[in-house]
Amino acid sequence: MPVALSLLDLAAIAPGQTARDSFHNSVELARAAERSGYERVWYAEHHNMSRIASSATSVLIGYVAGQTDTIRLGAGGIMLPNHSPLVIAEQFGTLESLYPGRIDLGLGRAPGSDQATMRALRRNPSSADTFPQDVLELQGYLTGNSRIPGIKAVPRAEGVVPLYILGSSLFGAQLAAHLGLPYAFASHFAPEALRQAVREYRDRFQPSEQLAQPYVMAGVNVFAAEDRDAAEEQKTIAYRARTRAFIKRGAAGVDYSDEEIDAFLASPNGAHLAKMTTYTAVGTPAEVADYLEDFAAEIQADELITVHHAQEIADRVRSVELTGAALGARESLTR
Protein backbone atom coordinates (compact mmCIF):
# COMPACT_ATOMS: atom_id res chain seq x y z
CA MET A 1 0.00 0.00 0.00
CA PRO A 2 1.22 3.61 -0.56
CA VAL A 3 1.31 3.93 3.24
CA ALA A 4 1.42 0.94 5.60
CA LEU A 5 -1.96 0.20 7.14
CA SER A 6 -2.50 -1.25 10.59
CA LEU A 7 -5.30 -1.79 13.10
CA LEU A 8 -5.79 -0.82 16.73
CA ASP A 9 -8.41 -3.08 18.29
CA LEU A 10 -9.82 -1.73 21.55
CA ALA A 11 -11.46 -5.09 22.32
CA ALA A 12 -14.72 -3.27 22.88
CA ILE A 13 -17.49 -5.02 24.80
CA ALA A 14 -20.69 -4.11 22.96
CA PRO A 15 -24.02 -3.67 24.81
CA GLY A 16 -25.48 -7.06 25.62
CA GLN A 17 -22.19 -8.86 25.06
CA THR A 18 -19.53 -10.31 27.35
CA ALA A 19 -15.74 -10.07 27.45
CA ARG A 20 -15.62 -13.54 25.93
CA ASP A 21 -17.66 -12.25 22.98
CA SER A 22 -15.20 -9.38 22.66
CA PHE A 23 -12.24 -11.78 22.46
CA HIS A 24 -13.94 -13.77 19.70
CA ASN A 25 -14.58 -10.48 17.89
CA SER A 26 -10.88 -9.59 18.21
CA VAL A 27 -10.00 -12.82 16.43
CA GLU A 28 -12.42 -11.99 13.62
CA LEU A 29 -10.98 -8.50 13.26
CA ALA A 30 -7.41 -9.80 13.19
CA ARG A 31 -8.29 -12.39 10.57
CA ALA A 32 -9.97 -9.69 8.47
CA ALA A 33 -6.88 -7.49 8.77
CA GLU A 34 -4.63 -10.42 7.87
CA ARG A 35 -6.47 -11.23 4.65
CA SER A 36 -6.83 -7.53 3.78
CA GLY A 37 -3.13 -6.68 3.74
CA TYR A 38 -2.72 -4.91 7.07
CA GLU A 39 0.74 -4.73 8.61
CA ARG A 40 -0.16 -5.36 12.25
CA VAL A 41 -2.89 -5.39 14.91
CA TRP A 42 -2.27 -3.74 18.27
CA TYR A 43 -4.12 -3.89 21.59
CA ALA A 44 -3.95 -1.23 24.30
CA GLU A 45 -3.67 -1.64 28.05
CA HIS A 46 -6.68 -0.09 29.80
CA HIS A 47 -7.95 -0.70 33.32
CA ASN A 48 -11.27 -0.26 35.12
CA MET A 49 -13.16 0.46 31.90
CA SER A 50 -16.28 -1.66 31.64
CA ARG A 51 -16.42 -1.49 27.83
CA ILE A 52 -12.77 -2.34 27.07
CA ALA A 53 -11.48 -5.91 27.53
CA SER A 54 -7.79 -5.51 26.70
CA SER A 55 -6.48 -5.02 30.25
CA ALA A 56 -4.43 -8.26 30.19
CA THR A 57 -2.82 -7.16 26.94
CA SER A 58 -0.15 -9.83 26.55
CA VAL A 59 -2.70 -12.60 27.20
CA LEU A 60 -4.98 -11.24 24.49
CA ILE A 61 -2.07 -10.96 22.04
CA GLY A 62 -1.23 -14.63 22.60
CA TYR A 63 -4.87 -15.69 22.19
CA VAL A 64 -5.23 -13.90 18.85
CA ALA A 65 -1.78 -14.97 17.62
CA GLY A 66 -2.77 -18.60 18.12
CA GLN A 67 -5.74 -18.14 15.77
CA THR A 68 -4.02 -16.17 12.99
CA ASP A 69 -1.11 -17.07 10.72
CA THR A 70 1.07 -14.21 9.51
CA ILE A 71 -0.02 -10.79 10.72
CA ARG A 72 2.08 -9.01 13.33
CA LEU A 73 0.45 -8.56 16.73
CA GLY A 74 1.44 -6.42 19.65
CA ALA A 75 0.76 -3.84 22.30
CA GLY A 76 -0.18 -0.33 21.43
CA GLY A 77 0.62 -0.11 24.12
CA ILE A 78 1.84 -1.49 27.39
CA MET A 79 1.81 1.28 30.00
CA LEU A 80 5.29 0.55 31.27
CA PRO A 81 5.12 2.50 34.58
CA ASN A 82 2.42 0.02 35.66
CA HIS A 83 4.92 -2.86 35.45
CA SER A 84 8.39 -4.08 36.15
CA PRO A 85 10.45 -3.98 32.93
CA LEU A 86 11.64 -7.51 33.71
CA VAL A 87 8.08 -8.88 33.82
CA ILE A 88 7.21 -7.26 30.47
CA ALA A 89 10.43 -8.63 28.95
CA GLU A 90 9.48 -12.11 30.15
CA GLN A 91 5.94 -11.80 28.75
CA PHE A 92 7.03 -10.58 25.33
CA GLY A 93 10.00 -12.92 25.21
CA THR A 94 7.47 -15.71 25.72
CA LEU A 95 5.20 -14.36 22.97
CA GLU A 96 8.06 -13.97 20.49
CA SER A 97 9.26 -17.51 21.30
CA LEU A 98 5.79 -18.88 20.58
CA TYR A 99 5.08 -16.71 17.51
CA PRO A 100 8.49 -15.77 16.04
CA GLY A 101 8.66 -12.72 13.82
CA ARG A 102 5.14 -11.60 14.67
CA ILE A 103 5.34 -9.69 17.98
CA ASP A 104 5.58 -5.91 18.55
CA LEU A 105 5.90 -3.99 21.81
CA GLY A 106 4.63 -0.42 21.93
CA LEU A 107 5.26 1.46 25.19
CA GLY A 108 3.47 4.36 26.83
CA ARG A 109 3.91 6.15 30.14
CA ALA A 110 0.29 7.03 30.94
CA PRO A 111 -1.56 4.98 33.59
CA GLY A 112 -4.25 3.76 31.17
CA SER A 113 -6.75 4.45 33.95
CA ASP A 114 -7.96 6.99 36.48
CA GLN A 115 -6.22 8.00 39.70
CA ALA A 116 -8.08 5.52 41.94
CA THR A 117 -7.25 2.66 39.57
CA MET A 118 -3.65 3.77 39.45
CA ARG A 119 -3.49 3.32 43.23
CA ALA A 120 -5.17 -0.09 42.95
CA LEU A 121 -2.41 -1.07 40.49
CA ARG A 122 0.08 -0.18 43.26
CA ARG A 123 1.52 2.42 40.96
CA ASN A 124 3.40 5.35 42.46
CA PRO A 125 2.40 8.68 40.85
CA SER A 126 6.11 9.34 40.24
CA SER A 127 6.54 6.10 38.26
CA ALA A 128 6.26 7.96 34.95
CA ASP A 129 9.37 9.96 35.82
CA THR A 130 11.60 6.92 35.24
CA PHE A 131 9.96 5.93 31.96
CA PRO A 132 13.07 6.61 29.80
CA GLN A 133 15.26 4.52 32.11
CA ASP A 134 12.64 1.76 32.24
CA VAL A 135 12.52 1.62 28.43
CA LEU A 136 16.29 1.15 28.32
CA GLU A 137 16.17 -1.51 31.05
CA LEU A 138 13.46 -3.37 29.13
CA GLN A 139 15.40 -3.07 25.88
CA GLY A 140 18.43 -4.55 27.58
CA TYR A 141 16.51 -7.60 28.77
CA LEU A 142 14.99 -8.18 25.32
CA THR A 143 18.33 -7.97 23.52
CA GLY A 144 20.38 -9.98 26.03
CA ASN A 145 22.27 -6.89 27.16
CA SER A 146 20.89 -6.53 30.66
CA ARG A 147 21.68 -3.30 32.48
CA ILE A 148 21.19 -5.06 35.84
CA PRO A 149 24.16 -7.32 36.69
CA GLY A 150 23.14 -10.94 37.14
CA ILE A 151 19.57 -10.43 35.95
CA LYS A 152 18.20 -11.70 32.63
CA ALA A 153 14.78 -12.25 31.16
CA VAL A 154 13.81 -15.89 30.68
CA PRO A 155 12.67 -16.83 28.16
CA ARG A 156 14.47 -14.46 25.83
CA ALA A 157 13.37 -15.02 22.27
CA GLU A 158 15.98 -15.61 19.59
CA GLY A 159 14.19 -13.13 17.34
CA VAL A 160 13.81 -9.39 17.77
CA VAL A 161 10.91 -7.82 19.67
CA PRO A 162 10.86 -4.31 18.14
CA LEU A 163 10.04 -1.43 20.48
CA TYR A 164 7.81 1.53 19.63
CA ILE A 165 7.27 4.67 21.69
CA LEU A 166 3.66 5.80 21.96
CA GLY A 167 2.58 9.31 22.83
CA SER A 168 0.18 12.21 22.55
CA SER A 169 2.62 14.98 23.49
CA LEU A 170 6.11 16.24 22.69
CA PHE A 171 7.69 14.12 25.44
CA GLY A 172 7.15 10.84 23.60
CA ALA A 173 8.33 12.35 20.32
CA GLN A 174 11.55 13.59 21.88
CA LEU A 175 12.22 10.30 23.67
CA ALA A 176 11.57 8.21 20.54
CA ALA A 177 13.91 10.47 18.58
CA HIS A 178 16.64 10.26 21.22
CA LEU A 179 16.43 6.47 21.43
CA GLY A 180 16.11 5.97 17.67
CA LEU A 181 12.78 4.14 17.92
CA PRO A 182 9.59 4.32 15.83
CA TYR A 183 7.05 6.84 17.12
CA ALA A 184 3.28 6.26 17.21
CA PHE A 185 1.09 9.28 17.90
CA ALA A 186 -2.39 8.79 19.41
CA SER A 187 -4.08 11.22 17.04
CA HIS A 188 -7.25 9.09 16.99
CA PHE A 189 -8.17 10.61 20.38
CA ALA A 190 -5.56 13.34 21.08
CA PRO A 191 -5.11 15.31 17.86
CA GLU A 192 -3.86 18.67 19.09
CA ALA A 193 -0.07 18.18 19.21
CA LEU A 194 0.19 15.83 16.22
CA ARG A 195 2.01 18.05 13.74
CA GLN A 196 4.41 19.57 16.23
CA ALA A 197 5.24 16.15 17.71
CA VAL A 198 5.96 14.64 14.29
CA ARG A 199 8.14 17.61 13.40
CA GLU A 200 10.09 17.34 16.68
CA TYR A 201 10.57 13.61 16.17
CA ARG A 202 11.87 13.91 12.62
CA ASP A 203 14.14 16.87 13.42
CA ARG A 204 15.73 15.24 16.47
CA PHE A 205 15.91 11.62 15.33
CA GLN A 206 19.15 9.78 16.09
CA PRO A 207 19.73 6.46 14.25
CA SER A 208 19.92 3.34 16.39
CA GLU A 209 20.59 -0.36 16.00
CA GLN A 210 16.84 -0.92 15.57
CA LEU A 211 16.08 1.97 13.20
CA ALA A 212 18.18 3.93 10.72
CA GLN A 213 15.54 6.48 9.66
CA PRO A 214 12.58 8.06 11.50
CA TYR A 215 9.35 6.10 11.28
CA VAL A 216 6.06 7.84 12.07
CA MET A 217 2.80 6.09 12.85
CA ALA A 218 -0.45 7.99 13.42
CA GLY A 219 -3.86 6.92 14.70
CA VAL A 220 -7.03 7.67 12.74
CA ASN A 221 -10.66 6.65 13.23
CA VAL A 222 -12.46 4.90 10.37
CA PHE A 223 -16.05 4.11 9.42
CA ALA A 224 -16.11 2.54 5.96
CA ALA A 225 -19.24 1.06 4.37
CA GLU A 226 -20.53 0.43 0.85
CA ASP A 227 -22.99 3.29 1.36
CA ARG A 228 -22.03 6.68 2.81
CA ASP A 229 -25.27 7.02 4.77
CA ALA A 230 -24.60 3.67 6.46
CA ALA A 231 -21.09 4.80 7.41
CA GLU A 232 -22.41 8.08 8.81
CA GLU A 233 -25.02 6.22 10.85
CA GLN A 234 -22.34 3.90 12.28
CA LYS A 235 -20.28 6.94 13.25
CA THR A 236 -23.23 8.64 14.93
CA ILE A 237 -24.13 5.55 16.95
CA ALA A 238 -20.52 4.88 17.98
CA TYR A 239 -19.70 8.45 18.99
CA ARG A 240 -22.95 8.84 20.91
CA ALA A 241 -22.09 5.67 22.85
CA ARG A 242 -18.59 6.96 23.50
CA THR A 243 -19.91 10.30 24.77
CA ARG A 244 -22.49 8.57 26.95
CA ALA A 245 -19.74 6.47 28.55
CA PHE A 246 -17.64 9.55 29.32
CA ILE A 247 -20.55 11.45 30.85
CA LYS A 248 -21.70 8.49 32.95
CA ARG A 249 -18.37 8.35 34.76
CA GLY A 250 -19.58 11.31 36.79
CA ALA A 251 -23.32 10.52 36.66
CA ALA A 252 -23.74 6.80 37.16
CA GLY A 253 -27.29 5.53 36.76
CA VAL A 254 -28.42 8.47 34.65
CA ASP A 255 -29.68 7.74 31.15
CA TYR A 256 -29.33 10.31 28.39
CA SER A 257 -31.37 10.40 25.21
CA ASP A 258 -29.72 10.68 21.81
CA GLU A 259 -30.99 14.24 21.57
CA GLU A 260 -29.33 15.14 24.87
CA ILE A 261 -26.04 13.58 23.77
CA ASP A 262 -26.11 15.46 20.46
CA ALA A 263 -26.88 18.73 22.27
CA PHE A 264 -23.99 18.15 24.66
CA LEU A 265 -21.52 17.52 21.81
CA ALA A 266 -22.67 20.74 20.14
CA SER A 267 -22.27 22.75 23.35
CA PRO A 268 -19.11 24.53 24.60
CA ASN A 269 -18.82 21.90 27.36
CA GLY A 270 -18.83 19.09 24.82
CA ALA A 271 -16.51 20.76 22.34
CA HIS A 272 -13.36 19.19 23.78
CA LEU A 273 -14.86 15.70 23.64
CA ALA A 274 -16.01 16.24 20.05
CA LYS A 275 -12.57 17.52 19.09
CA MET A 276 -10.93 14.31 20.28
CA THR A 277 -12.23 12.54 17.17
CA THR A 278 -11.11 15.25 14.73
CA TYR A 279 -9.28 12.71 12.58
CA THR A 280 -12.09 10.48 11.36
CA ALA A 281 -12.48 8.96 7.89
CA VAL A 282 -16.11 8.17 7.11
CA GLY A 283 -17.88 7.12 3.92
CA THR A 284 -17.50 4.77 1.00
CA PRO A 285 -14.22 2.90 0.43
CA ALA A 286 -13.10 5.51 -2.11
CA GLU A 287 -13.92 8.38 0.25
CA VAL A 288 -12.13 6.72 3.14
CA ALA A 289 -9.09 5.97 0.97
CA ASP A 290 -8.95 9.61 -0.17
CA TYR A 291 -9.06 10.82 3.42
CA LEU A 292 -6.39 8.40 4.65
CA GLU A 293 -4.02 9.15 1.77
CA ASP A 294 -4.40 12.91 2.27
CA PHE A 295 -3.95 12.57 6.05
CA ALA A 296 -0.82 10.45 5.68
CA ALA A 297 0.68 12.80 3.10
CA GLU A 298 -0.06 15.91 5.15
CA ILE A 299 1.79 14.69 8.25
CA GLN A 300 4.32 12.51 6.38
CA ALA A 301 3.18 9.35 8.15
CA ASP A 302 4.88 6.10 7.25
CA GLU A 303 2.03 4.04 8.71
CA LEU A 304 -1.58 4.64 9.74
CA ILE A 305 -3.07 2.86 12.72
CA THR A 306 -6.78 2.69 11.98
CA VAL A 307 -9.42 2.34 14.68
CA HIS A 308 -12.76 0.98 13.45
CA HIS A 309 -15.48 1.92 15.93
CA ALA A 310 -18.73 0.58 14.44
CA GLN A 311 -20.75 -0.98 17.24
CA GLU A 312 -21.66 -4.20 15.41
CA ILE A 313 -18.77 -6.60 14.81
CA ALA A 314 -19.95 -7.36 11.27
CA ASP A 315 -19.74 -3.64 10.44
CA ARG A 316 -16.26 -3.36 12.01
CA VAL A 317 -14.99 -6.36 10.05
CA ARG A 318 -16.47 -4.96 6.85
CA SER A 319 -14.91 -1.56 7.51
CA VAL A 320 -11.49 -3.21 7.92
CA GLU A 321 -11.95 -5.18 4.70
CA LEU A 322 -13.22 -2.26 2.62
CA THR A 323 -10.45 0.06 3.80
CA GLY A 324 -7.75 -2.50 3.08
CA ALA A 325 -9.16 -3.31 -0.35
CA ALA A 326 -9.51 0.34 -1.36
CA LEU A 327 -5.94 1.25 -0.45
CA GLY A 328 -4.59 -2.02 -1.82
CA ALA A 329 -6.26 -1.42 -5.17
CA ARG A 330 -4.66 2.02 -5.40
CA GLU A 331 -1.25 0.54 -4.72
CA SER A 332 -1.73 -1.89 -7.59
CA LEU A 333 -2.56 1.02 -9.92
CA THR A 334 0.65 2.86 -8.99
CA ARG A 335 2.94 -0.10 -9.77
Side-chain angles (χ1 to χ4, degrees):
M1 297 179 182
V3 60
L5 192 64
S6 294
L7 174 67
L8 175 64
D9 176 9
L10 296 176
I13 304 174
Q17 292 195 330
T18 66
R20 185 180 179 86
D21 295 326
S22 170
F23 300 145
H24 290 319
N25 292 343
S26 289
V27 171
E28 292 305 309
L29 282 170
R31 288 173 173 168
E34 186 171 68
R35 63 178 175 263
S36 301
Y38 286 63
E39 183 75 15
R40 69 191 89 245
V41 182
W42 278 1
Y43 307 92
E45 176 187 347
H46 292 284
H47 300 282
N48 196 34
M49 296 185 181
S50 60
R51 295 295 184 188
I52 297 180
S54 55
S55 54
T57 315
S58 58
V59 178
L60 180 56
I61 292 168
Y63 174 69
V64 178
Q67 300 186 69
T68 50
D69 297 315
T70 58
I71 195 164
R72 297 192 67 87
L73 298 160
I78 290 291
M79 301 298 105
L80 190 55
N82 291 344
H83 310 277
S84 154
L86 177 60
V87 169
I88 297 303
E90 291 169 341
Q91 290 177 3
F92 280 79
T94 299
L95 287 168
E96 174 63 24
S97 297
L98 290 169
Y99 307 103
R102 296 182 58 200
I103 302 299
D104 299 330
L105 177 49
L107 301 169
R109 66 169 183 152
S113 61
D114 53 38
Q115 294 296 312
T117 308
M118 184 178 73
R119 290 191 293 271
L121 288 166
R122 303 297 190 266
R123 172 175 169 172
N124 188 308
S126 65
S127 299
D129 296 341
T130 62
F131 180 64
Q133 293 79 19
D134 290 344
V135 172
L136 290 173
E137 182 181 339
L138 172 60
Q139 188 176 51
Y141 292 137
L142 289 170
T143 58
N145 300 298
S146 176
R147 291 171 172 258
I148 311 299
I151 304 298
K152 59 183 178 180
V154 181
R156 184 177 77 83
E158 294 181 6
V160 174
V161 179
L163 297 184
Y164 301 76
I165 299 297
L166 279 58
S168 57
S169 68
L170 300 187
F171 177 88
Q174 293 165 359
L175 179 62
H178 177 70
L179 298 179
L181 295 175
Y183 180 53
F185 193 91
S187 39
H188 59 292
F189 74 86
E192 293 185 3
L194 171 62
R195 286 167 179 77
Q196 187 179 358
V198 170
R199 187 164 55 249
E200 287 263 342
Y201 170 69
R202 290 194 176 279
D203 289 347
R204 297 188 179 207
F205 182 83
Q206 300 176 30
S208 68
E209 186 175 339
Q210 178 177 326
L211 193 64
Q213 300 290 334
Y215 192 85
V216 172
M217 308 162 77
V220 58
N221 305 292
V222 176
F223 298 87
E226 283 89 349
D227 177 76
R228 180 175 179 83
D229 289 342
E232 289 283 2
E233 183 180 7
Q234 290 169 18
K235 184 189 82 167
T236 298
I237 292 170
Y239 284 174
R240 278 174 179 164
R242 180 177 179 275
T243 303
R244 204 172 265 117
F246 270 100
I247 295 175
K248 281 194 169 185
R249 290 182 185 178
V254 179
D255 289 324
Y256 296 93
S257 68
D258 289 344
E259 291 75 16
E260 289 172 322
I261 293 296
D262 292 343
F264 173 76
L265 286 172
S267 72
N269 287 335
H272 175 70
L273 193 58
K275 193 174 182 180
M276 291 172 69
T277 54
T278 296
Y279 296 120
T280 298
V282 55
T284 64
E287 290 170 328
V288 166
D290 285 342
Y291 183 99
L292 295 180
E293 288 182 340
D294 290 345
F295 175 67
E298 182 183 351
I299 64 168
Q300 294 183 294
D302 300 288
E303 184 171 334
L304 296 181
I305 307 173
T306 61
V307 192
H308 300 255
H309 291 289
Q311 195 165 83
E312 297 296 327
I313 181 59
D315 292 332
R316 290 206 301 279
V317 167
R318 192 64 183 138
S319 182
V320 167
E321 292 173 336
L322 291 172
T323 302
L327 285 173
R330 293 189 179 188
E331 180 196 23
S332 298
L333 290 174
T334 60
R335 287 176 179 171

